[in-house]
């Protein structure tokens, strides 16, 4: 472009030189030779020079002036176009910047903007509170009504949050059904009040296409600088506090605490350890005798899992089993328990206890795992244990699941026994109890231990036993700790009992000693 411009300028310069200097002078000389001009007064020579100059230079100057006007108009037009393009680029940049910092569904500031604001406020050493809000039933709403309705619902939630909160409080969409409210220059008391107010706005239904939708929220709160001095830590701790609200059942708020952090670290170590616990040999089975209340002899054992963590030591089953359920690790652990229990009981049968059975607790996640029945059949074949010597213990919650009942029916066809564990603590309908594929009812230990102290509990135990016997079920009482309890249960018609009165859960070696003592006493 520069080369073309330079050539154009050089061309105009030569035209000027030719028109103004060279051509007029040459023409003047030619005319002088032709007409043999001889002027007495020298001024006439100047007149001739000027005339010749005007004849040739005037058109050139007119042409150049016209071209300059054309170039000027083109330049003016180009400047206008450049200004318009510049305005468009500025508008596009502003739009891109807005989109980069705002959620396209709710138009709220997004996660990126949240971190920027938090970084700014923490650097200025303001006292802040971060409220991490998560909707309790959004997945159900989304799955039931569809994603389009879910988007409408999220927009309505965002609008209600913005309308309810003062302008000094900023609302951000963190993602999904999660929102963050940032409170500047505040304290714990004010943050608590705002959290309670936020929960109250969900008491009114949301209306989508004339249909009322109710939901609640769980809120976690972290405070600056107590719970973190940077954006990432504050958000992480508010998120942890929110999950604590979830575990409380939702529709509440929780403040982050150091105790929560310790619990989170422990959960993480348990979760990580569970993945390799079986392979590393850290898991073991203890066995608690199930005694015939009439003969006082052990006819079965319940396999109970124990875990000695290399760092945390002994971890109670009720603590790590729930984590195993949530993470899915219960599937491989459950398989290990079933095979280990069947193999061990078969070994005891071969050493003088041929009628010994084993009871194994099974979760709903295991029951619903594809191929569970086939796995059980393979275990029985590998261990050479007869199906009638395996008792699968399930809880009342399984009875609300049609798929689970189908699987239990298949197990029963094989010859495996089915027991309902902790009976009386759930909410199963008694009207369907007679149609369920169960062989035994296990009376929960809370009833066993209170029945001699509270007449109403005693009546409940007697009713359960009578009902079970009328349905043709075997009755097993858990948690027997005193001889008087065992005697009362026998009088009521209970068949079996287990508890510390007979023995706590025993290691394999101690259980062998117990069984051998009964064998020698025959």
């Amino acid at each position: 472009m520069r080369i073309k411009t330079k050539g154009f300028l050089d061309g105009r310069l030569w035209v000027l030189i030719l028109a103004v200097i060279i051509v007029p002078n040459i023409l003047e000389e030619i005319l002088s030779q032709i007409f043999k001009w001889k002027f007495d007064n020298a001024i006439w020579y100047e007149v001739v020079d000027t005339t010749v100059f005007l004849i040739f230079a005037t058109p050139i100057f007119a042409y150049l002036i016209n071209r300059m006007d054309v170039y000027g108009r083109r330049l003016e037009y180009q400047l206008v176009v450049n200004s318009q393009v510049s305005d468009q680029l500025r508008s596009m940049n502003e739009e891109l910047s807005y989109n980069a910092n705002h959620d396209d569904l709710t138009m709220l500031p997004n996660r990126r903007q949240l971190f920027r604001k938090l970084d700014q406020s923490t650097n200025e050493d303001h006292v802040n509170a971060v409220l991490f809000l998560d909707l309790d039933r959004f997945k159900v709403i989304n799955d039931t009504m569809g994603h389009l309705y879910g988007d409408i619902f999220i927009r309505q939630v965002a609008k209600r949050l913005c309308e309810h909160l003062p302008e000094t409080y900023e609302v951000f969409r963190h993602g999904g059904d999660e929102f963050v409210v940032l409170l500047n220059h505040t304290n714990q008391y004010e943050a608590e009040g705002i959290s309670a107010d936020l929960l109250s706005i969900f008491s009114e239904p949301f209306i989508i296409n004339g249909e009322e939708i109710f939901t609640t929220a769980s809120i976690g709160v972290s405070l600056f600088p107590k719970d973190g001095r940077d954006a990432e830590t504050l958000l992480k701790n508010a998120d942890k506090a929110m999950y604590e609200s979830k575990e409380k059942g939702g529709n509440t708020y929780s403040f982050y605490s150091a105790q929560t952090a310790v619990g989170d670290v422990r959960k993480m170590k348990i979760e990580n350890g569970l993945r390799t616990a079986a392979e590393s040999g850290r898991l073991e089975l203890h066995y608690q005798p199930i005694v015939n209340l009439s003969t006082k002899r052990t006819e079965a054992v319940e396999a109970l899992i124990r875990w000695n963590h290399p760092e945390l030591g002994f971890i109670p089953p009720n603590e790590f089993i729930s984590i195993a359920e949530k993470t899915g690790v219960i599937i491989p652990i459950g398989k290990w328990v079933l095979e280990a229990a069947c193999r061990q009981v078969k070994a005891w049968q071969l050493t003088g206890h041929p009628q010994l059975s084993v009871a194994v607790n099974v979760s709903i996640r295991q029951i619903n795992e594809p191929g569970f029945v086939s796995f059980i059949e393979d275990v029985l074949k590998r261990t050479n244990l007869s199906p009638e010597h395996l008792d699968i213990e399930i809880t009342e919650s399984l009875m609300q699941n049609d798929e689970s009942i189908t699987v239990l029916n298949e197990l029963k066809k094989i010859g495996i026994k089915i027991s309902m564990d902790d009976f009386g603590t759930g909410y199963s309908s008694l009207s369907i109890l007679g149609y369920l594929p169960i062989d035994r009812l296990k009376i929960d230990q809370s009833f066993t231990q209170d029945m001699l102290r509270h007449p109403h509990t005693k009546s409940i135990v007697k009713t359960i036993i009578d009902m079970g016997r009328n349905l043709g079920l075997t009755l097993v009482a858990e948690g027997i700790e005193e001889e008087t309890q065992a005697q009362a249960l026998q009088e009521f018609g209970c068949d079996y009992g287990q508890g510390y009165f007979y023995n706590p859960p025993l290691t394999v070696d101690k259980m062998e000693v117990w069984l051998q003592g009964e064998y020698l006493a025959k």
Side-chain angles (χ1 to χ4, degrees):
M1 191 69 185
R2 291 179 180 177
I3 294 174
K4 290 182 179 179
T5 304
K6 182 178 179 182
F8 172 73
L9 292 174
D10 290 346
R12 287 192 298 178
L13 178 62
W14 282 111
V15 169
L16 286 172
I17 292 172
L18 285 171
V20 177
I21 300 174
I22 298 176
V23 173
N25 286 332
I26 293 173
L27 185 61
E28 181 186 0
E29 186 65 29
I30 292 171
L31 291 175
S32 177
Q33 292 294 328
I34 293 174
F35 294 104
K36 305 297 183 178
W37 286 330
K38 297 292 183 180
F39 299 110
D40 296 333
N41 193 341
I43 192 171
W44 290 105
Y45 290 103
E46 296 297 329
V47 170
V48 172
D49 287 341
T50 302
T51 302
V52 173
F53 172 79
L54 290 174
I55 291 172
F56 284 90
T58 300
I60 297 299
F61 278 114
Y63 170 77
L64 292 176
I65 290 171
N66 180 63
R67 295 302 297 170
M68 288 177 64
D69 288 342
V70 171
Y71 292 136
R73 287 193 296 272
R74 287 182 180 177
L75 180 60
E76 184 178 354
Y77 173 76
Q78 191 62 49
L79 289 173
V80 172
V81 171
N82 290 346
S83 177
Q84 292 175 346
V85 171
S86 178
D87 291 341
Q88 290 176 355
L89 289 173
R90 187 182 303 107
S91 177
M92 290 174 63
N93 287 333
E94 290 175 356
E95 183 178 354
L96 288 172
S97 177
Y98 182 88
N99 291 337
N101 292 288
H102 290 78
D103 172 54
D104 58 354
L105 179 63
T106 63
M107 297 299 114
L108 290 176
N110 60 13
R111 192 169 181 268
R112 178 182 179 185
Q113 186 73 348
L114 169 62
F115 272 92
R116 184 179 299 169
K117 289 283 187 180
L118 266 177
D119 284 334
Q120 179 182 352
S121 60
T122 52
N123 288 335
E124 294 174 357
D125 211 30
H126 292 166
V127 178
N128 307 299
V130 177
L131 277 60
F132 200 108
L133 184 149
D134 183 272
L135 304 179
D136 291 330
R137 297 182 61 251
F138 179 68
K139 187 177 186 305
V140 176
I141 295 170
N142 216 24
D143 292 345
T144 304
M145 304 188 67
H147 293 284
L148 178 61
Y149 284 87
D151 288 346
I152 297 174
F153 178 66
I154 288 294
R155 281 198 293 266
Q156 289 192 12
V157 170
K159 181 181 179 183
R160 191 175 291 188
L161 287 172
C162 292
E163 291 175 347
H164 184 79
L165 289 169
E167 293 182 358
T168 53
Y169 299 152
E170 296 180 270
V171 183
F172 303 81
R173 188 186 181 199
H174 189 261
D177 60 334
E178 297 173 340
F179 297 87
V180 173
V181 179
L182 180 60
L183 313 181
N184 291 315
H185 305 287
T186 189
N187 52 46
Q188 181 167 342
Y189 177 78
E190 185 177 357
E192 188 171 358
I194 291 295
S195 298
D197 287 343
L198 285 176
L199 293 177
S200 68
I201 72 174
F202 292 95
S203 60
E204 295 295 326
F206 294 84
I207 310 297
I208 300 180
N209 286 354
E211 186 172 352
E212 292 187 346
I213 298 177
F214 290 88
T215 189
T216 55
S218 297
I219 299 176
V221 186
S222 64
L223 300 172
F224 173 86
K226 181 174 71 72
D227 301 327
R229 289 188 167 274
D230 58 82
E232 184 177 357
T233 304
L234 285 168
L235 276 175
K236 179 185 67 176
N237 291 340
D239 189 24
K240 289 180 179 178
M242 182 273 293
Y243 275 104
E244 185 177 345
S245 296
K246 289 279 189 186
E247 291 177 358
K248 293 176 182 177
N251 195 28
T252 188
Y253 61 87
S254 302
F255 281 81
Y256 174 80
S257 67
Q259 185 177 358
T260 303
V262 172
D264 289 338
V265 172
R266 180 178 175 86
K267 285 181 181 178
M268 182 184 67
K269 289 181 178 180
I270 290 174
E271 182 178 335
N272 291 337
L274 277 172
R275 300 187 186 279
T276 57
E279 293 84 349
S280 63
R282 289 282 177 178
L283 292 178
E284 62 177 311
L285 290 181
H286 288 194
Y287 297 88
Q288 187 170 33
I290 298 176
V291 178
N292 186 311
L293 294 178
S294 299
T295 65
K296 308 297 189 293
R297 302 197 66 81
T298 301
E299 295 187 9
V301 293
E302 181 178 358
L304 299 166
I305 191 170
R306 297 292 183 264
W307 183 25
N308 187 23
H309 191 279
E311 182 181 349
L312 303 176
F314 175 76
I315 301 177
N318 59 353
E319 182 178 3
F320 72 80
I321 290 297
S322 60
I323 297 176
E325 287 273 3
K326 291 178 182 178
T327 59
V329 185
I330 192 67
I331 301 301
I333 290 178
K335 290 180 177 180
W336 176 84
V337 169
L338 274 163
E339 184 153 359
C342 290
R343 197 175 302 280
Q344 182 59 65
V345 168
K346 183 60 182 180
W348 283 330
Q349 287 180 350
L350 296 175
T351 57
H353 313 282
Q355 299 305 314
L356 191 67
S357 298
V358 62
V360 179
N361 291 277
V362 175
S363 71
I364 187 170
R365 193 152 186 174
Q366 291 173 265
I367 291 284
N368 291 335
E369 178 73 7
F372 179 73
V373 176
S374 298
F375 170 74
I376 294 288
E377 291 178 315
D378 290 340
V379 168
L380 294 174
K381 289 179 182 178
R382 286 196 299 269
T383 60
N384 199 28
L385 183 69
S386 298
E388 64 269 18
H389 292 134
L390 175 60
D391 186 353
I392 297 296
E393 292 193 1
I394 49 93
T395 59
E396 291 185 55
S397 60
L398 278 169
M399 296 308 173
Q400 309 301 324
N401 187 305
D402 292 338
E403 294 180 3
S404 301
I405 295 176
T406 299
V407 173
L408 294 177
N409 275 313
E410 292 179 17
L411 292 175
K412 192 171 177 64
K413 289 178 183 178
I414 297 171
I416 294 171
K417 305 296 183 184
I418 309 294
S419 294
M420 182 183 285
D421 197 14
D422 302 330
F423 182 75
T425 60
Y427 302 96
S428 291
S429 172
L430 294 179
S431 63
I432 66 169
L433 192 59
Y435 302 97
L436 296 174
I438 57 175
D439 302 281
R440 298 181 178 183
L441 283 182
K442 298 194 74 174
I443 303 170
D444 186 69
Q445 61 180 349
S446 60
F447 295 113
T448 303
Q449 293 168 3
D450 287 346
M451 67 178 183
L452 298 183
R453 292 193 295 269
H454 302 287
H456 293 299
T457 305
K458 181 178 179 180
S459 298
I460 292 173
V461 171
K462 291 180 68 175
T463 300
I464 292 174
I465 294 173
D466 291 340
M467 178 187 63
R469 294 184 70 85
N470 290 333
L471 293 173
L473 303 177
T474 301
L475 280 301
V476 182
E478 297 180 298
I480 299 176
E481 295 182 352
E482 303 170 4
E483 185 176 5
T484 52
Q485 293 171 345
Q487 291 174 347
L489 287 165
Q490 184 181 359
E491 292 174 3
F492 297 159
C494 186
D495 302 294
Y496 294 93
Q498 67 182 102
Y500 277 59
F501 172 67
Y502 300 106
N503 251 323
L506 302 172
T507 62
V508 171
D509 293 340
K510 291 181 179 180
M511 190 69 213
E512 287 178 351
V513 172
W514 169 261
L515 292 173
Q516 189 64 20
E518 285 195 345
Y519 178 76
L520 294 175
K522 287 183 181 178

